[in-house]
Amino acid sequence: DAGVTQSPTHLIKTRGQHVTLRCSPISGHKSVSWYQQVLGQGPQFIFQYYEKEERGRGNFPDRFSARQFPNYSSELNVNALLLGDSALYLCASSLGPYPSGANVLTFGAGSRLTVL
Amino acid sequence: AQSVTQLGSHVSVSEGALVLLRCNYSSSVPPYLFWYVQYPNQGLQLLLKYTTGATLVKGINGFEAEFKKSETSFHLTKPSAHMSDAAEYFCAVSGSGAGSYQLTFGKGTKLSVIP
């Protein structure tokens, strides 16, 4: 089975631009979460979607938004990019909404965003 | 609310030596605890998890961790380091019920293995 796939793998944007990152979960997984990993730091939670509804939001500004489609794939959108948005954006999928022993997050390889 | 502290941003061990990566957590509810590994230019791979039951948990690649509630710790160990263990390791915590949507990660520990 294919794992979590993310696209694009790398991209470069300039300040003020907009970016859309895409994620396809493991087949059968209905939950998608997004994390931001700044260089030298651990991943930080941005959003979680389950059954196409937002179930959780981290401490990120309104410039960050996301959605989940009927096929459970997801998009993360970031408007008005800042230099500080440069990071690895990780998508993770799981069967259900809550991290647990039976509901483990499986991560994709990430999309590396550089903002110049 | 949960938080994770990983002691030591960088740990170096000789090949064949004991690996010990430290993790302390804070949680207002009974925690679920996880260790993930990240190889260069890759995503996170789950090494092991603690949810309930036995406090000593075994994971992949010979790693294990022990949940010590009294010390709020979940240290990761491996008896004998291999060159392929060189990577960054993240400890993470989540709550254990409804509303616990997210994993909270530590800052990571980069493990170097010296031949």
Side-chain angles (χ1 to χ4, degrees):
Chain A
D1 276 343
V4 178
T5 58
Q6 293 186 242
S7 64
T9 54
H10 295 84
L11 68 167
I12 299 174
K13 295 285 187 177
T14 57
R15 282 176 293 175
Q17 285 190 310
H18 163 91
V19 68
T20 297
L21 308 177
R22 296 177 175 83
C23 172
S24 293
I26 291 173
S27 178
H29 284 192
K30 297 182 178 180
S31 175
V32 169
S33 299
W34 288 95
Y35 286 78
Q36 181 197 63
Q37 187 179 15
V38 173
L39 194 63
Q41 301 291 320
Q44 289 217 321
F45 174 72
I46 310 175
F47 286 110
Q48 193 219 33
Y49 278 77
Y50 177 69
E51 288 283 16
K52 301 178 285 288
E53 291 187 3
E54 182 184 304
R55 294 300 188 97
R57 172 187 280 259
N59 188 24
F60 280 81
D62 292 343
R63 299 185 296 108
F64 288 77
S65 63
R67 54 180 176 169
Q68 187 177 32
F69 298 101
N71 67 352
Y72 302 109
S73 67
S74 177
E75 281 183 356
L76 175 69
N77 294 283
V78 187
N79 292 325
L81 286 167
L82 303 174
L83 296 180
D85 295 331
S86 295
L88 180 67
Y89 288 85
L90 295 164
C91 173
S93 75
S94 59
L95 288 168
Y98 311 123
S100 69
N103 188 41
V104 174
L105 295 184
T106 301
F107 285 83
S111 294
R112 186 165 297 281
L113 170 66
T114 301
V115 182
L116 301 178
Chain B
Q2 291 89 31
S3 66
V4 173
T5 302
Q6 291 185 241
L7 296 176
S9 59
H10 196 171
V11 170
S12 293
V13 300
S14 298
E15 191 173 16
L18 172 71
V19 175
L20 171 60
L21 304 182
R22 300 179 186 272
C23 171
N24 288 90
Y25 71 91
S26 172
S27 178
S28 56
V29 296
Y32 291 159
L33 294 158
F34 305 82
W35 276 99
Y36 281 86
V37 61
Q38 187 175 37
Y39 297 100
N41 300 314
Q42 294 189 27
L44 301 173
Q45 180 184 6
L46 180 70
L47 276 179
L48 49 79
K49 62 184 185 288
Y50 168 79
T51 54
T52 58
T55 56
L56 182 63
V57 293
K58 297 185 184 298
I60 61 173
N61 302 337
F63 284 94
E64 63 182 36
E66 186 171 10
F67 170 60
K68 292 187 176 181
K69 184 178 179 180
S70 61
E71 298 177 8
T72 61
S73 69
F74 190 57
H75 302 329
L76 181 70
T77 60
K78 182 175 180 177
S80 176
H82 192 271
M83 295 298 294
S84 61
D85 295 327
E88 190 150 23
Y89 293 79
F90 293 94
C91 180
V93 64
S94 76
S96 54
S100 301
Y101 302 107
Q102 68 186 75
L103 289 181
T104 299
F105 287 86
K107 293 185 176 181
T109 298
K110 187 173 183 179
L111 176 66
S112 298
V113 181
I114 305 166

Short mmCIF file of all heavy atoms in Angstrom, two decimals, chain A residues 33 35 37 40-43 45 48 55-58 88 90 97-102 104-110 112, chain B residues 32 34 36 38 41-46 49 51 88 90 94-108:
data_model
loop_
_atom_site.label_atom_id
_atom_site.label_comp_id
_atom_site.label_asym_id
_atom_site.label_seq_id
_atom_site.Cartn_x
_atom_site.Cartn_y
_atom_site.Cartn_z
N SER A 33 -3.69 15.28 9.48
CA SER A 33 -3.15 16.34 10.33
C SER A 33 -1.99 17.01 9.61
O SER A 33 -1.26 16.36 8.85
CB SER A 33 -2.67 15.78 11.67
OG SER A 33 -3.71 15.18 12.39
N TYR A 35 1.52 19.45 10.24
CA TYR A 35 2.50 19.92 11.20
C TYR A 35 3.54 20.77 10.46
O TYR A 35 3.88 20.48 9.30
CB TYR A 35 3.21 18.75 11.89
CG TYR A 35 2.35 18.02 12.90
CD1 TYR A 35 1.36 17.12 12.51
CD2 TYR A 35 2.52 18.25 14.27
CE1 TYR A 35 0.57 16.48 13.44
CE2 TYR A 35 1.73 17.60 15.21
CZ TYR A 35 0.76 16.72 14.79
OH TYR A 35 -0.03 16.08 15.72
N GLN A 37 7.50 21.99 10.70
CA GLN A 37 8.78 21.72 11.35
C GLN A 37 9.82 22.72 10.86
O GLN A 37 10.34 22.60 9.75
CB GLN A 37 9.26 20.29 11.06
CG GLN A 37 10.50 19.91 11.85
CD GLN A 37 10.97 18.50 11.60
OE1 GLN A 37 10.55 17.84 10.65
NE2 GLN A 37 11.82 18.00 12.47
N GLY A 40 15.70 22.64 12.97
CA GLY A 40 16.24 22.54 14.32
C GLY A 40 15.20 22.41 15.42
O GLY A 40 15.55 22.40 16.60
N GLN A 41 13.94 22.31 15.04
CA GLN A 41 12.86 22.20 16.02
C GLN A 41 12.03 20.94 15.77
O GLN A 41 12.13 20.31 14.71
CB GLN A 41 11.93 23.43 15.93
CG GLN A 41 12.63 24.75 16.18
CD GLN A 41 13.07 24.91 17.61
OE1 GLN A 41 12.33 24.53 18.53
NE2 GLN A 41 14.27 25.43 17.82
N GLY A 42 11.21 20.60 16.76
CA GLY A 42 10.26 19.52 16.56
C GLY A 42 9.04 20.01 15.81
O GLY A 42 8.77 21.22 15.75
N PRO A 43 8.29 19.09 15.22
CA PRO A 43 7.06 19.48 14.51
C PRO A 43 6.06 20.15 15.44
O PRO A 43 5.93 19.76 16.60
CB PRO A 43 6.52 18.14 13.99
CG PRO A 43 7.72 17.23 13.96
CD PRO A 43 8.57 17.65 15.11
N PHE A 45 1.94 21.35 15.70
CA PHE A 45 0.62 21.05 15.17
C PHE A 45 -0.03 22.29 14.58
O PHE A 45 -0.06 23.35 15.21
CB PHE A 45 -0.25 20.50 16.31
CG PHE A 45 -1.69 20.28 15.97
CD1 PHE A 45 -2.08 19.25 15.14
CD2 PHE A 45 -2.67 21.11 16.50
CE1 PHE A 45 -3.41 19.03 14.84
CE2 PHE A 45 -4.01 20.90 16.21
CZ PHE A 45 -4.38 19.87 15.38
N GLN A 48 -5.99 19.59 12.32
CA GLN A 48 -6.42 18.23 12.10
C GLN A 48 -7.81 18.24 11.48
O GLN A 48 -8.69 18.99 11.93
CB GLN A 48 -6.45 17.40 13.38
CG GLN A 48 -6.59 15.91 13.06
CD GLN A 48 -7.49 15.18 14.02
OE1 GLN A 48 -8.46 15.73 14.52
NE2 GLN A 48 -7.17 13.94 14.28
N ARG A 55 -11.14 19.48 13.23
CA ARG A 55 -11.33 18.99 14.60
C ARG A 55 -10.35 19.64 15.56
O ARG A 55 -10.56 19.60 16.77
CB ARG A 55 -11.14 17.48 14.66
CG ARG A 55 -12.19 16.70 13.90
CD ARG A 55 -13.60 16.94 14.42
NE ARG A 55 -14.58 16.06 13.81
CZ ARG A 55 -15.01 14.94 14.36
NH1 ARG A 55 -14.55 14.54 15.53
NH2 ARG A 55 -15.90 14.20 13.73
N GLY A 56 -9.29 20.21 15.05
CA GLY A 56 -8.32 20.83 15.93
C GLY A 56 -7.49 21.85 15.17
O GLY A 56 -7.25 21.69 13.97
N ARG A 57 -7.09 22.89 15.86
CA ARG A 57 -6.27 23.94 15.26
C ARG A 57 -5.20 24.35 16.25
O ARG A 57 -5.50 24.58 17.43
CB ARG A 57 -7.14 25.15 14.90
CG ARG A 57 -6.38 26.38 14.44
CD ARG A 57 -7.32 27.57 14.26
NE ARG A 57 -8.03 27.49 12.99
CZ ARG A 57 -7.70 28.19 11.92
NH1 ARG A 57 -6.67 29.01 11.94
NH2 ARG A 57 -8.41 28.09 10.81
N GLY A 58 -3.98 24.44 15.78
CA GLY A 58 -2.88 24.88 16.64
C GLY A 58 -2.78 26.39 16.68
O GLY A 58 -3.63 27.11 16.14
N LEU A 88 9.64 22.71 6.90
CA LEU A 88 9.15 21.45 6.34
C LEU A 88 7.72 21.26 6.84
O LEU A 88 7.48 21.29 8.05
CB LEU A 88 10.04 20.28 6.80
CG LEU A 88 9.66 18.89 6.30
CD1 LEU A 88 9.88 18.78 4.79
CD2 LEU A 88 10.47 17.82 7.03
N LEU A 90 4.68 18.85 7.25
CA LEU A 90 4.42 17.41 7.31
C LEU A 90 2.93 17.14 7.39
O LEU A 90 2.20 17.79 8.14
CB LEU A 90 5.11 16.81 8.54
CG LEU A 90 6.63 16.84 8.54
CD1 LEU A 90 7.17 16.58 9.94
CD2 LEU A 90 7.19 15.82 7.57
N PRO A 97 -9.61 10.19 14.79
CA PRO A 97 -9.15 11.55 15.10
C PRO A 97 -8.16 11.67 16.25
O PRO A 97 -7.47 12.68 16.35
CB PRO A 97 -10.46 12.28 15.45
CG PRO A 97 -11.34 11.21 15.99
CD PRO A 97 -10.99 9.96 15.23
N TYR A 98 -8.09 10.67 17.13
CA TYR A 98 -7.29 10.87 18.33
C TYR A 98 -6.05 9.99 18.31
O TYR A 98 -6.16 8.77 18.14
CB TYR A 98 -8.09 10.53 19.59
CG TYR A 98 -9.44 11.17 19.63
CD1 TYR A 98 -10.59 10.40 19.76
CD2 TYR A 98 -9.59 12.54 19.51
CE1 TYR A 98 -11.84 10.98 19.78
CE2 TYR A 98 -10.83 13.13 19.53
CZ TYR A 98 -11.95 12.35 19.67
OH TYR A 98 -13.18 12.92 19.68
N PRO A 99 -4.85 10.59 18.51
CA PRO A 99 -3.65 9.74 18.62
C PRO A 99 -3.83 8.75 19.77
O PRO A 99 -4.26 9.12 20.85
CB PRO A 99 -2.54 10.74 18.93
CG PRO A 99 -3.04 12.05 18.44
CD PRO A 99 -4.52 12.01 18.64
N SER A 100 -3.55 7.49 19.51
CA SER A 100 -3.69 6.48 20.55
C SER A 100 -2.89 5.27 20.12
O SER A 100 -2.24 5.28 19.08
CB SER A 100 -5.16 6.08 20.74
OG SER A 100 -5.61 5.36 19.60
N GLY A 101 -2.95 4.23 20.90
CA GLY A 101 -2.22 3.02 20.53
C GLY A 101 -2.70 2.40 19.26
O GLY A 101 -1.92 1.91 18.46
N ALA A 102 -4.01 2.45 19.06
CA ALA A 102 -4.57 1.84 17.86
C ALA A 102 -4.69 2.83 16.72
O ALA A 102 -5.00 2.45 15.60
CB ALA A 102 -5.96 1.26 18.17
N VAL A 104 -2.41 5.38 15.28
CA VAL A 104 -1.10 6.01 15.20
C VAL A 104 -1.01 6.90 13.98
O VAL A 104 -1.53 6.55 12.91
CB VAL A 104 -0.02 4.92 15.16
CG1 VAL A 104 1.35 5.54 14.94
CG2 VAL A 104 -0.04 4.12 16.44
N LEU A 105 -0.36 8.04 14.14
CA LEU A 105 -0.13 8.93 13.01
C LEU A 105 0.98 8.37 12.13
O LEU A 105 2.05 8.01 12.62
CB LEU A 105 0.26 10.31 13.49
CG LEU A 105 -0.77 11.13 14.27
CD1 LEU A 105 -0.21 12.51 14.56
CD2 LEU A 105 -2.07 11.21 13.52
N THR A 106 0.72 8.31 10.82
CA THR A 106 1.73 7.95 9.84
C THR A 106 2.05 9.19 9.03
O THR A 106 1.14 9.79 8.44
CB THR A 106 1.24 6.83 8.91
OG1 THR A 106 0.91 5.69 9.70
CG2 THR A 106 2.33 6.45 7.92
N PHE A 107 3.32 9.56 9.00
CA PHE A 107 3.73 10.81 8.38
C PHE A 107 4.21 10.60 6.95
O PHE A 107 4.81 9.57 6.61
CB PHE A 107 4.86 11.47 9.19
CG PHE A 107 4.40 12.11 10.44
CD1 PHE A 107 4.22 11.36 11.60
CD2 PHE A 107 4.15 13.47 10.50
CE1 PHE A 107 3.79 11.96 12.78
CE2 PHE A 107 3.72 14.08 11.67
CZ PHE A 107 3.54 13.31 12.81
N GLY A 108 3.98 11.64 6.13
CA GLY A 108 4.59 11.69 4.82
C GLY A 108 6.00 12.27 4.91
O GLY A 108 6.46 12.65 5.99
N ALA A 109 6.65 12.36 3.76
CA ALA A 109 8.03 12.85 3.72
C ALA A 109 8.12 14.37 3.80
O ALA A 109 9.19 14.92 4.03
CB ALA A 109 8.73 12.36 2.46
N GLY A 110 7.00 15.04 3.60
CA GLY A 110 6.98 16.48 3.79
C GLY A 110 7.15 17.28 2.52
O GLY A 110 7.61 16.79 1.49
N ARG A 112 9.03 20.82 1.56
CA ARG A 112 9.97 21.81 2.10
C ARG A 112 9.74 23.14 1.39
O ARG A 112 9.96 23.25 0.18
CB ARG A 112 11.41 21.37 1.94
CG ARG A 112 12.38 22.35 2.63
CD ARG A 112 13.77 21.77 2.80
NE ARG A 112 13.82 20.62 3.66
CZ ARG A 112 13.79 20.65 4.98
NH1 ARG A 112 13.70 21.82 5.61
NH2 ARG A 112 13.88 19.54 5.67
N TYR B 32 -0.42 9.52 26.38
CA TYR B 32 0.10 8.55 25.44
C TYR B 32 1.46 9.10 24.98
O TYR B 32 1.59 10.29 24.72
CB TYR B 32 -0.82 8.38 24.23
CG TYR B 32 -2.13 7.71 24.51
CD1 TYR B 32 -3.22 7.89 23.65
CD2 TYR B 32 -2.32 6.90 25.62
CE1 TYR B 32 -4.43 7.27 23.88
CE2 TYR B 32 -3.53 6.28 25.85
CZ TYR B 32 -4.58 6.47 24.98
OH TYR B 32 -5.79 5.86 25.22
N PHE B 34 5.13 8.66 22.61
CA PHE B 34 5.63 8.13 21.34
C PHE B 34 7.08 8.55 21.14
O PHE B 34 7.50 9.61 21.60
CB PHE B 34 4.80 8.67 20.16
CG PHE B 34 3.32 8.45 20.26
CD1 PHE B 34 2.54 9.31 21.02
CD2 PHE B 34 2.73 7.39 19.61
CE1 PHE B 34 1.16 9.11 21.12
CE2 PHE B 34 1.36 7.18 19.70
CZ PHE B 34 0.57 8.04 20.46
N TYR B 36 9.51 8.95 17.71
CA TYR B 36 9.62 8.92 16.25
C TYR B 36 11.08 9.15 15.86
O TYR B 36 11.83 9.85 16.57
CB TYR B 36 8.77 10.02 15.60
CG TYR B 36 7.29 9.72 15.52
CD1 TYR B 36 6.45 10.00 16.59
CD2 TYR B 36 6.73 9.18 14.36
CE1 TYR B 36 5.08 9.75 16.51
CE2 TYR B 36 5.37 8.93 14.27
CZ TYR B 36 4.55 9.21 15.34
OH TYR B 36 3.21 8.96 15.26
N GLN B 38 13.61 10.43 12.54
CA GLN B 38 13.61 11.14 11.26
C GLN B 38 15.00 11.06 10.64
O GLN B 38 15.96 11.57 11.20
CB GLN B 38 13.21 12.60 11.45
CG GLN B 38 13.03 13.36 10.14
CD GLN B 38 12.51 14.77 10.39
OE1 GLN B 38 12.87 15.44 11.35
NE2 GLN B 38 11.63 15.25 9.50
N ASN B 41 16.11 14.31 5.22
CA ASN B 41 15.22 14.53 4.07
C ASN B 41 14.06 13.52 4.02
O ASN B 41 13.56 13.22 2.93
CB ASN B 41 16.01 14.49 2.76
CG ASN B 41 17.08 15.54 2.72
OD1 ASN B 41 16.84 16.69 3.06
ND2 ASN B 41 18.29 15.13 2.34
N GLN B 42 13.66 13.03 5.17
CA GLN B 42 12.53 12.12 5.22
C GLN B 42 11.52 12.58 6.27
O GLN B 42 11.81 13.48 7.07
CB GLN B 42 13.00 10.69 5.54
CG GLN B 42 13.85 10.07 4.44
CD GLN B 42 14.11 8.60 4.69
OE1 GLN B 42 13.35 7.91 5.35
NE2 GLN B 42 15.22 8.11 4.15
N GLY B 43 10.36 11.95 6.27
CA GLY B 43 9.36 12.23 7.29
C GLY B 43 9.66 11.49 8.57
O GLY B 43 10.77 10.98 8.77
N LEU B 44 8.69 11.42 9.43
CA LEU B 44 8.85 10.78 10.73
C LEU B 44 8.37 9.35 10.67
O LEU B 44 7.31 9.06 10.11
CB LEU B 44 8.05 11.54 11.79
CG LEU B 44 8.40 13.00 11.98
CD1 LEU B 44 7.41 13.66 12.93
CD2 LEU B 44 9.80 13.13 12.53
N GLN B 45 9.14 8.46 11.29
CA GLN B 45 8.77 7.05 11.36
C GLN B 45 8.58 6.67 12.82
O GLN B 45 9.44 6.95 13.66
CB GLN B 45 9.87 6.19 10.72
CG GLN B 45 9.58 4.70 10.75
CD GLN B 45 10.73 3.87 10.19
OE1 GLN B 45 11.80 4.39 9.88
NE2 GLN B 45 10.51 2.58 10.05
N LEU B 46 7.48 6.00 13.13
CA LEU B 46 7.21 5.60 14.50
C LEU B 46 8.16 4.49 14.93
O LEU B 46 8.28 3.47 14.27
CB LEU B 46 5.77 5.12 14.64
CG LEU B 46 5.35 4.67 16.04
CD1 LEU B 46 5.27 5.88 16.98
CD2 LEU B 46 4.01 3.96 16.00
N LYS B 49 5.52 3.10 20.99
CA LYS B 49 4.48 3.89 21.66
C LYS B 49 4.13 3.26 23.00
O LYS B 49 4.21 2.05 23.17
CB LYS B 49 3.24 3.99 20.79
CG LYS B 49 2.58 2.63 20.48
CD LYS B 49 1.42 2.79 19.55
CE LYS B 49 0.70 1.45 19.34
NZ LYS B 49 1.47 0.50 18.53
N THR B 51 0.77 3.37 25.56
CA THR B 51 -0.60 3.84 25.78
C THR B 51 -1.05 3.41 27.16
O THR B 51 -1.19 4.23 28.06
CB THR B 51 -1.56 3.32 24.70
OG1 THR B 51 -1.46 1.89 24.62
CG2 THR B 51 -1.20 3.91 23.35
N GLU B 88 17.70 11.76 13.67
CA GLU B 88 17.15 12.62 14.72
C GLU B 88 15.94 11.92 15.33
O GLU B 88 15.12 11.34 14.61
CB GLU B 88 16.76 13.98 14.16
CG GLU B 88 16.41 14.98 15.25
CD GLU B 88 16.72 16.42 14.87
OE1 GLU B 88 16.79 16.71 13.67
OE2 GLU B 88 16.89 17.25 15.80
N PHE B 90 12.62 12.07 18.00
CA PHE B 90 11.65 12.97 18.61
C PHE B 90 10.75 12.19 19.56
O PHE B 90 10.18 11.17 19.19
CB PHE B 90 10.78 13.64 17.54
CG PHE B 90 11.53 14.60 16.67
CD1 PHE B 90 12.06 14.18 15.47
CD2 PHE B 90 11.70 15.92 17.05
CE1 PHE B 90 12.76 15.06 14.65
CE2 PHE B 90 12.39 16.81 16.25
CZ PHE B 90 12.93 16.38 15.04
N SER B 94 0.62 12.88 23.71
CA SER B 94 -0.74 13.33 23.45
C SER B 94 -1.58 13.00 24.67
O SER B 94 -1.19 12.21 25.52
CB SER B 94 -1.34 12.66 22.21
OG SER B 94 -1.73 11.34 22.50
N GLY B 95 -2.73 13.66 24.76
CA GLY B 95 -3.68 13.29 25.78
C GLY B 95 -4.31 11.96 25.43
O GLY B 95 -4.07 11.40 24.37
N SER B 96 -5.13 11.47 26.31
CA SER B 96 -5.66 10.13 26.14
C SER B 96 -7.18 10.11 26.06
O SER B 96 -7.82 9.25 26.60
CB SER B 96 -5.21 9.23 27.29
OG SER B 96 -5.56 9.81 28.54
N GLY B 97 -7.76 11.07 25.36
CA GLY B 97 -9.20 11.04 25.25
C GLY B 97 -9.72 12.01 24.22
O GLY B 97 -8.96 12.60 23.46
N ALA B 98 -11.03 12.16 24.22
CA ALA B 98 -11.67 13.07 23.28
C ALA B 98 -11.10 14.47 23.43
O ALA B 98 -10.88 14.94 24.54
CB ALA B 98 -13.17 13.08 23.52
N GLY B 99 -10.88 15.11 22.31
CA GLY B 99 -10.30 16.45 22.33
C GLY B 99 -8.79 16.43 22.24
O GLY B 99 -8.17 17.48 22.05
N SER B 100 -8.18 15.26 22.35
CA SER B 100 -6.72 15.17 22.30
C SER B 100 -6.29 14.91 20.87
O SER B 100 -5.87 13.82 20.52
CB SER B 100 -6.24 14.05 23.22
OG SER B 100 -6.66 14.29 24.53
N TYR B 101 -6.41 15.94 20.04
CA TYR B 101 -6.21 15.76 18.61
C TYR B 101 -4.76 15.76 18.20
O TYR B 101 -4.41 15.24 17.15
CB TYR B 101 -6.90 16.89 17.84
CG TYR B 101 -8.39 16.98 18.11
CD1 TYR B 101 -8.91 17.99 18.89
CD2 TYR B 101 -9.25 16.04 17.58
CE1 TYR B 101 -10.26 18.07 19.13
CE2 TYR B 101 -10.60 16.10 17.81
CZ TYR B 101 -11.10 17.13 18.60
OH TYR B 101 -12.44 17.20 18.83
N GLN B 102 -3.90 16.36 18.99
CA GLN B 102 -2.57 16.63 18.49
C GLN B 102 -1.50 15.90 19.27
O GLN B 102 -1.66 15.54 20.42
CB GLN B 102 -2.29 18.13 18.58
CG GLN B 102 -2.17 18.65 20.01
CD GLN B 102 -2.03 20.15 20.06
OE1 GLN B 102 -3.00 20.88 19.86
NE2 GLN B 102 -0.83 20.63 20.30
N LEU B 103 -0.36 15.71 18.57
CA LEU B 103 0.87 15.30 19.22
C LEU B 103 1.67 16.56 19.53
O LEU B 103 1.78 17.45 18.70
CB LEU B 103 1.69 14.40 18.30
CG LEU B 103 1.19 12.98 18.04
CD1 LEU B 103 2.15 12.25 17.12
CD2 LEU B 103 1.03 12.21 19.34
N THR B 104 2.23 16.59 20.74
CA THR B 104 3.17 17.66 21.10
C THR B 104 4.56 17.04 21.12
O THR B 104 4.81 16.08 21.86
CB THR B 104 2.82 18.25 22.47
OG1 THR B 104 1.50 18.81 22.41
CG2 THR B 104 3.82 19.33 22.84
N PHE B 105 5.45 17.60 20.31
CA PHE B 105 6.79 17.04 20.14
C PHE B 105 7.83 17.81 20.96
O PHE B 105 7.69 19.01 21.20
CB PHE B 105 7.21 17.11 18.67
CG PHE B 105 6.53 16.13 17.77
CD1 PHE B 105 5.31 16.42 17.20
CD2 PHE B 105 7.11 14.90 17.50
CE1 PHE B 105 4.67 15.52 16.37
CE2 PHE B 105 6.49 13.99 16.65
CZ PHE B 105 5.26 14.31 16.09
N GLY B 106 8.89 17.10 21.33
CA GLY B 106 10.07 17.74 21.84
C GLY B 106 10.88 18.33 20.69
O GLY B 106 10.53 18.18 19.52
N LYS B 107 11.99 18.98 21.03
CA LYS B 107 12.80 19.64 20.02
C LYS B 107 13.71 18.68 19.27
O LYS B 107 14.35 19.07 18.29
CB LYS B 107 13.63 20.76 20.64
CG LYS B 107 12.77 21.92 21.14
CD LYS B 107 13.63 23.07 21.64
CE LYS B 107 12.74 24.25 22.03
NZ LYS B 107 13.55 25.41 22.50
N GLY B 108 13.79 17.46 19.74
CA GLY B 108 14.57 16.46 19.04
C GLY B 108 15.98 16.30 19.58
O GLY B 108 16.56 17.23 20.14
#
